[in-house]
Amino acid sequence: MAERPLTLMAVHAHPDDEATSTGGVLARYADEGITTVLVTCTDGRCGDGPGGVKPGDPGHDPAAVVAMRRAELEASCAVLEVSHLETLGYADSGMMGWSTNDQPGAFWTTPVAEAAGRLAELIRQYQPDVIVTYDENGFYGHPDHIQAHRITMAAVELTDSPAKVYWTTVPRTAFEQFGRVMRDLGVDWAEPDETVPPLGLPDDEITTWVDANSYGGQKFDALAAHASQTENIFFLQLGRDRFTELMGVETFVRVRDRTGAPTPEGDLFAGLR
């Protein structure tokens, strides 16, 4: 019998998250023959509607937004050549403090055990060798990102999965460079608020640096597939070449490992092939 192909599972909160922090690895590993599985936890109903109408404003139809964003998600997956898309279908909770946080069916208020059980079934089904999700703060404090982290780590424990587990992150030096570029482009880019914990990590705390520059065009196109959210996706203002220059390397922290592969590493599958 043929050996089972290696498998990557990325667990994300909303449609479009898959492209921002993992579009490069999804495209690269698909090209290398690795099976890629994307799990999207929420339906994105708190995103912009047609014409940029905002949640809570007149004319914002959550059901229409859900259908639109599902189509965009499928288009993004086609660009990235994702092997399998799985959607858990929980209601988008909106930003921290929004009234939508507590609405029935919101991902933020769903019991972790319930959602983790569903994700555990997918882990058993696909048997990923590598699982990627967010850190305990959901990278920037979004409730659905935090919940995605919680259910992923719980599901890993439920299944006793042997997979390597990574959390997405960004080096602090990259934030500094990104701010300079955005200001050069004339974009209003505020300096970080010193009262808020800084995003990302010092470079020397990052374990994994994956070069996906060759797939920068795919990553850009996958993000652009989420056309209804263009106003919120400021990375697209960079243009394809500058976008690839700044976002062509994706970075992670390895938090669970069975291979003993040394770090820093340049491959999520180091020690597995």
Side-chain angles (χ1 to χ4, degrees):
M1 294 180 63
E3 185 177 348
R4 184 182 68 85
L6 291 169
T7 299
L8 166 66
M9 176 180 282
V11 183
H12 281 290
H14 311 99
D16 76 29
D17 290 331
E18 79 288 340
T20 305
S21 58
T22 58
V25 293
L26 287 169
R28 170 179 162 170
Y29 290 127
D31 187 48
E32 293 178 3
I34 288 172
T35 298
T36 55
V37 182
L38 171 63
V39 181
T40 302
C41 296
T42 80
D43 57 14
R45 67 179 56 219
C46 289
D48 288 356
V53 62
K54 302 298 181 184
D57 287 351
H60 187 276
D61 180 351
V65 172
V66 168
M68 176 177 62
R69 299 199 70 185
R70 170 67 190 220
E72 292 175 343
L73 177 61
E74 291 174 353
S76 172
C77 286
V79 170
L80 299 173
E81 300 184 4
V82 169
S83 309
H84 304 282
L85 169 62
E86 298 283 352
T87 55
L88 298 185
Y90 293 107
D92 186 344
S93 309
M95 300 298 288
M96 190 68 80
W98 287 15
S99 62
T100 47
N101 293 174
D102 302 315
Q103 288 183 355
F107 188 41
W108 179 237
T109 56
T110 298
V112 169
E114 174 192 319
R118 293 181 61 197
L119 181 58
E121 288 303 310
L122 295 175
I123 291 174
R124 294 185 184 102
Q125 175 182 343
Y126 290 108
Q127 301 179 51
D129 301 280
V130 172
I131 298 175
V132 175
T133 192
Y134 315 103
D135 63 19
E136 57 268 90
N137 191 47
F139 183 63
Y140 70 102
H142 192 295
D144 289 332
H145 288 231
I146 294 170
Q147 188 77 327
H149 161 85
R150 291 173 177 172
I151 74 161
T152 302
M153 301 312 293
V156 168
E157 294 301 324
L158 278 173
T159 57
D160 195 26
S161 172
K164 297 173 77 177
V165 178
Y166 292 87
W167 297 342
T168 60
T169 191
V170 174
R172 298 260 171 85
T173 53
F175 274 116
E176 295 168 2
Q177 183 184 13
F178 187 75
R180 289 194 296 270
V181 168
M182 295 303 276
R183 285 189 290 271
D184 289 345
L185 292 173
V187 177
D188 185 13
W189 187 261
E191 291 296 327
D193 185 343
E194 295 182 358
T195 66
V196 177
L199 296 177
L201 290 173
D203 292 32
D204 60 2
E205 293 182 20
I206 293 172
T207 64
T208 312
W209 305 68
V210 182
D211 184 351
N213 276 284
S214 297
Y215 304 92
Q218 276 177 267
K219 180 173 178 173
F220 184 90
D221 289 345
L223 200 56
H226 297 278
S228 67
Q229 309 304 306
T230 298
E231 182 179 330
N232 300 323
I233 304 175
F234 48 79
F235 301 112
L236 296 174
Q237 299 178 47
L238 296 170
R240 186 187 301 270
D241 291 343
R242 187 60 67 87
F243 174 89
T244 298
E245 176 187 342
L246 291 177
M247 301 188 68
V249 175
E250 294 179 347
T251 49
F252 306 86
V253 175
R254 194 174 81 191
V255 296
R256 185 179 174 111
D257 176 61
R258 60 187 167 92
T259 68
T263 58
E265 60 188 2
D267 180 9
L268 296 177
F269 290 87
L272 292 171
R273 57 178 178 171

